[in-house]
Each structure stands twice: as C-alpha cells, then as structure tokens.
Amino acid sequence: MQEKGLLIVLSGPSGVGKGTVRKEIFSQPDTAFEYSVSATTRKPREGELDGVDYFFKTREAFEEMIENDQLLEYAEYVGNYYGTPVDYVRKTLDEGKDVFLEIEVQGAGQVRRKFPEGLFIFLAPPSLSELENRIVTRGTETEDLIKGRMKAAREELEMMELYDYVVENDKVELACERVKSIVVAEHCRRERVQYRYKKMLEVD
Ligand SMILES: Nc1ncnc2c1ncn2[C@@H]1O[C@H](COP(=O)(O)OP(=O)(O)OP(=O)(O)O)[C@@H](O)[C@H]1O
Ligand SMILES: Nc1nc2c(ncn2[C@@H]2O[C@H](COP(=O)(O)O)[C@@H](O)[C@H]2O)c(=O)[nH]1
C-alpha cells in the first residue's frame, strides 16, 4: 500500500513572511512538496492569478463550498473568507506526496483537529514593530486593514505554543532552511526511513 505524504502547515500572523518563505521554498529545485492553492473571497492583488495564487470566489460560491463540505478548513479573516479545498489535499497525500498549506492561525487549528498527524510550523517575526513595518512596507492594505491585521496578530502570536515548531523569520533564506530541515527531520522521526530499512532487510 502507498505510504501517505506528510501534511505540512505553515502558519503565523499576517505580514510575517509566510508567502515570501513559501515562494522561496517552492522556487528551489530540490523542493518536493505540493502547494495547496486556497480559495478566497478577497479581491486579487496586482499580479495575482486565479488558480495560481488563489481560487478567487464570490461570497456565494465560497459559502456553497462550505455547505458542500468541500473545504478541509476555512476562516473568516479581516472581512474575507479563506479556505483549503479538501479534495486536492486528500488525493495528493494518498499519492504519497507531501502537501504544504500556508494558512492563518484559526484555520491551522481546524486542520490540527482533523489531521493531528500533520506537521505544524509557526512562523514568528523578530518583533511586533518589525511585523507592522513589513505589512506597511508591502503596501497592499489600507490603514484600517493594517490595524485589523495587527490586532489579530497579537492574538495569533499567543497560539504559537500549540505548534510543533516555531521558526523565526529574521532572514528569508534562513527561515526557508529551517522549515526544510524540520520537514527532513520529521520524516526521519516518523520512522519512514526505518520502515524502508525494515522492508529492505526483509528482502535481503
Ligand atoms: N525576512 C524578512 N525580512 C524582511 N522583510 C520580509 C521578510 N520576509 C518577508 N518580508 C516582507 O514582508 C512583507 C510581508 O510578507 P508576506 O506577504 O510574505 O507575508 P505573509 O505572512 O504571507 O502575509 P499575509 O498573511 O498577509 O498574506 C513583504 O513585503 C515581504 O517582502
Ligand atoms: N485559514 C486559511 N487561511 C488562509 C488560507 N489561505 C491563505 N490564508 C491566510 O489568510 C491570511 C490573509 O492572506 P492574504 O493573501 O489576504 O494576505 C494570511 O495569513 C494567509 O496565510 C486558507 O486556505 N485558509
């Protein structure tokens, strides 16, 4: 029987650099994870593409996905819905591939309840002032939205103790290396390697 892949969840407050770290990890040729594209009711930012960055949905279409049980998790975050289409995640894990979710903290909690065997990594900022500086510098949010995201961030930071690992995003390259090393270590810890060796020894 095919061994299942590992569900990797990268979460943390808005502006900490989850998207930046994820994109850097996925730009590296040795990365073997599959990225799960989320659905959202947020309007696309400049340069964002439907089906690549998100599946952009109307509120009605998103609520239909909720009713039809098509989401592994979802959350309403600062006025918009965000959610993970469940079929892609299940199918890809069943194929033995690791799936990478980049989601906010409420959604990560829901995934933890459904997939306790997942690997949960919290990306933390060097400081709250640096977090605010990153959201402001990104220039994608109005002043009100920045306030909303900073308020949510204080609550989200308190959740970090529920995660398997906390990775500080001081420098993007270092944060990526830490995340990738954790995944490698986790595969070893979960006896995948031992299992393969056992099989090999049985054959010999
Ligand atoms: N290590 C870092 N040092 C300095 N700036 C960074 C670092 N990581 C990310 N940034 C910058 O911080 C801003 C926010 O990053 P990003 O959009 O990746 O955050 P996010 O956590 O995905 O945010 P959101 O949850 O709102 O989508 C971007 O302008 C990005 O270039
Ligand atoms: N619970 C979920 N959160 C998600 C998902 N996809 C993205 N996100 C998170 O939402 C916020 C805001 O994102 P932005 O693109 O508007 O800046 C951020 O923390 C994302 O990580 C999801 O499927 N479920």
Side-chain angles (χ1 to χ4, degrees):
M1 202 178 90
Q2 173 73 59
E3 262 179 273
K4 282 201 178 196
L6 179 62
L7 182 62
I8 305 154
V9 179
L10 183 70
S11 192
S14 177
V16 68
K18 300 181 295 297
T20 306
V21 167
R22 184 253 304 167
K23 282 178 193 149
E24 177 57 29
I25 289 176
F26 277 86
S27 74
Q28 297 172 0
D30 61 337
T31 296
F33 322 137
E34 306 296 319
Y35 178 59
S36 160
V37 178
S38 298
T40 184
T41 57
R42 164 167 86 56
K43 295 275 170 287
R45 293 184 186 135
E46 205 179 316
E48 285 186 333
L49 296 174
D50 188 41
V52 176
D53 298 286
Y54 281 107
F55 296 109
F56 293 101
K57 303 276 176 196
T58 60
R59 269 190 101 75
E60 295 69 38
F62 196 102
E63 282 167 358
E64 213 170 291
M65 291 180 85
I66 298 174
E67 271 160 35
N68 295 335
D69 237 356
Q70 290 172 305
L71 297 171
L72 170 63
E73 60 71 38
Y74 71 94
E76 194 155 12
Y77 178 78
V78 197
N80 281 301
Y81 281 127
Y82 295 84
T84 303
V86 67
D87 283 356
Y88 175 80
V89 172
R90 290 201 188 279
K91 177 179 142 292
T92 312
L93 291 175
D94 286 348
E95 287 168 0
K97 296 176 192 156
D98 294 347
V99 176
F100 192 98
L101 306 186
E102 180 222 311
I103 61 178
E104 55 70 63
V105 171
Q106 298 173 61
Q110 295 172 39
V111 179
R112 175 68 112 178
R113 288 189 282 282
K114 289 188 184 164
F115 272 90
E117 70 278 24
L119 172 60
F120 293 80
I121 304 174
F122 190 94
L123 199 63
S127 66
L128 271 177
S129 56
E130 171 61 12
L131 181 66
E132 185 160 11
N133 180 37
R134 287 183 190 175
I135 306 181
V136 172
T137 312
R138 188 172 64 185
T140 52
E141 259 68 40
T142 60
E143 212 171 299
D144 268 2
L145 281 176
I146 292 173
K147 276 195 194 131
R149 286 183 180 227
M150 283 307 294
K151 185 168 175 281
R154 287 177 178 275
E155 288 158 22
E156 289 163 350
L157 285 166
E158 284 177 17
M159 309 301 275
M160 75 167 78
E161 64 194 47
L162 303 177
Y163 285 68
D164 300 313
Y165 294 89
V166 175
V167 165
E168 188 180 341
N169 180 19
D170 43 4
K171 294 216 167 11
V172 176
E173 318 77 67
L174 291 179
C176 291
E177 283 315 308
R178 290 171 190 139
V179 170
K180 288 172 68 174
S181 306
I182 288 169
V183 176
V184 171
E186 197 65 16
H187 272 299
C188 297
R189 194 178 76 78
R190 289 172 190 231
E191 297 181 344
R192 274 189 153 204
V193 174
Q194 285 163 3
Y195 174 80
R196 290 212 180 105
Y197 276 107
K198 251 192 230 158
K199 284 245 155 205
M200 194 173 76
L201 290 170
E202 271 169 26
V203 172
D204 285 354

